[in-house]
Amino acid sequence: MGGTTLLSADYKAPGGKLLRVRLREADGRIESAKISGDFFLIPEDSLPKLEMMLEDVPLREKELKLLVDRFFRGTSAQGLGVAPEDFVKAILAAKPGETGS
């Protein structure tokens, strides 16, 4: 049982937008997440909601896809220049040994 690990990744979405992910991870679960970059989410207050929803989620593709899909459906948020799968890929890119591809 280790402590908290700080993870980060810079991911370029196919449209060229950058997603920068900073995570605190412990025992394979996200403790906290901060997402920034040169993209926009509408409404503007939706990004902090996504970051909060990521807390305590396993750092695994299946769970992340479900959560991100639920977030976009539940909040009616729209990404300008980024798609929901870009968030999943960016988060997974922060995981050691992953590329986000």
Side-chain angles (χ1 to χ4, degrees), residues 2-54:
T4 299
T5 305
L6 299 176
L7 304 173
S8 66
D10 290 347
Y11 172 80
K12 277 270 197 202
K17 296 294 183 185
L18 173 73
L19 284 96
R20 176 168 285 135
V21 177
R22 303 294 180 254
L23 304 173
R24 283 185 171 306
E25 174 267 339
D27 298 323
R29 299 183 89 77
I30 298 170
E31 285 188 344
S32 66
K34 185 69 180 153
I35 302 170
S36 60
D38 62 358
F39 64 93
F40 292 98
L41 269 188
I42 306 293
E44 289 181 25
D45 66 346
S46 56
L47 188 58
K49 290 177 187 172
L50 175 59
E51 293 169 343
M52 281 180 36
M53 286 177 71
L54 287 166

